[in-house]
Amino acid sequence: MGIIVVQCEKNYAVLMCACPVAPYVSLLAVNACSSTQSKIFTARVMAEKLDLISKRIRTFHDFPTKGIPFKDICLILKDPKALAAVTDLFEEHVRRTYPQVDLIVGIDARGFLFGPLLAQRLGVGFAPIRKKGKLPGPTLSVAYSLEYATAEAEMQEDAVSAGEKVLIIDDLLATGGTLYAACELIKRQKAEVLGCLVVIELKYLNGSEKLRSTPVFSLIQY
């Protein structure tokens, strides 16, 4: 088996898969992983993908309110290679870390952009968490605070089944309020939150601390 080594490169993390045994054993391991549809990226390929993603993120200051440095992902969506890179890296992480996942849950609204793509790759379902009042039928809701406002998250009662193993995805982790509310909604339905996936994490806001024991995987960190 390979050994996963984590290194830091500039403002993002690079994950490397290194095999301490003979090269032919490493090749067999790659072939075995390929048979389960898992993708193994070399350190160079992963670094290239992360660099491409990082270059497609831009900052708009004082948006939506004064003092907020807004991280814009629109250029990722415009570039098919960058969008594929995001999905590739999420898929590799989930297949390696959470092969038991049953459902991807995306947060309104940018979680909807990445969640269905990842779910389709993994062969699992997708369910949305929306702003209150946007979903029909019986729902559950949780109030939460943003770095510049307050809001309420909501999902349909039958979106998640008891006992299902769930990953939550969004574009960005800031103060952690949105992801915390999403975790609470999942737990209320007696499902298990395996972890959270985000494209961007603002480390200086310490949002992951609000999530307590829930693991957070981020591609780009500031």
Side-chain angles (χ1 to χ4, degrees):
M1 292 180 63
I3 299 174
I4 301 299
V5 181
V6 180
Q7 291 189 341
C8 292
E9 297 288 343
K10 298 180 181 177
N11 63 333
Y12 43 79
V14 177
L15 306 179
M16 297 194 300
C17 183
C19 187
V21 293
Y24 69 87
V25 176
S26 179
L27 179 59
L28 289 175
V30 171
N31 288 337
C33 287
S34 296
S35 67
T36 60
Q37 297 183 329
S38 179
K39 293 185 178 180
I40 294 180
F41 299 119
T42 64
R44 178 179 178 181
V45 170
M46 294 187 75
E48 288 174 351
K49 289 178 181 290
L50 287 166
D51 186 57
L52 174 60
I53 296 166
S54 180
K55 288 177 178 177
R56 298 297 182 269
I57 297 170
R58 54 188 176 179
T59 302
F60 288 96
H61 294 282
D62 299 322
F63 182 86
T65 60
K66 187 173 179 60
I68 300 296
F70 186 86
K71 299 300 180 183
D72 180 37
I73 60 165
C74 287
L75 294 182
I76 293 178
L77 305 175
K78 186 178 179 180
D79 183 344
K81 291 183 179 180
L83 183 57
V86 170
T87 311
D88 286 345
L89 294 176
F90 279 150
E91 180 190 6
E92 191 277 338
H93 174 72
V94 173
R95 289 192 183 279
R96 175 169 47 82
T97 311
Y98 305 111
Q100 73 276 36
V101 64
D102 298 311
L103 185 72
I104 302 295
V105 169
I107 297 177
D108 195 346
R110 288 180 288 275
F112 300 170
L113 302 174
F114 303 105
L117 295 176
L118 177 60
Q120 191 276 331
R121 287 272 193 98
L122 297 170
V124 301
F126 173 83
I129 289 179
R130 300 214 61 188
K131 296 178 178 66
K132 188 171 177 61
K134 299 294 184 179
L135 291 169
T139 60
L140 297 171
S141 62
V142 172
Y144 64 97
S145 298
L146 298 167
E147 62 271 27
Y148 52 82
T150 59
E152 200 165 351
E154 187 174 60
M155 73 185 312
Q156 293 174 320
E157 288 183 356
D158 60 357
V160 181
S161 300
E164 280 193 309
K165 300 180 186 302
V166 177
L167 285 170
I168 301 171
I169 190 168
D170 203 0
D171 68 320
L172 180 138
L173 170 59
T175 59
T178 308
L179 282 172
Y180 177 79
C183 290
E184 290 301 302
L185 280 173
I186 301 301
K187 292 174 183 176
R188 284 189 184 183
Q189 301 189 71
K190 297 180 173 56
E192 179 184 354
V193 179
L194 297 176
C196 297
L197 311 173
V198 294
V199 180
I200 303 166
E201 181 177 1
L202 304 181
K203 297 287 286 186
Y204 59 88
L205 292 177
N206 301 315
S208 60
E209 294 181 4
K210 190 176 184 66
L211 300 174
R212 300 170 187 170
S213 60
T214 303
V216 175
F217 176 75
S218 56
L219 298 181
I220 307 295
Q221 301 174 351
Y222 294 92

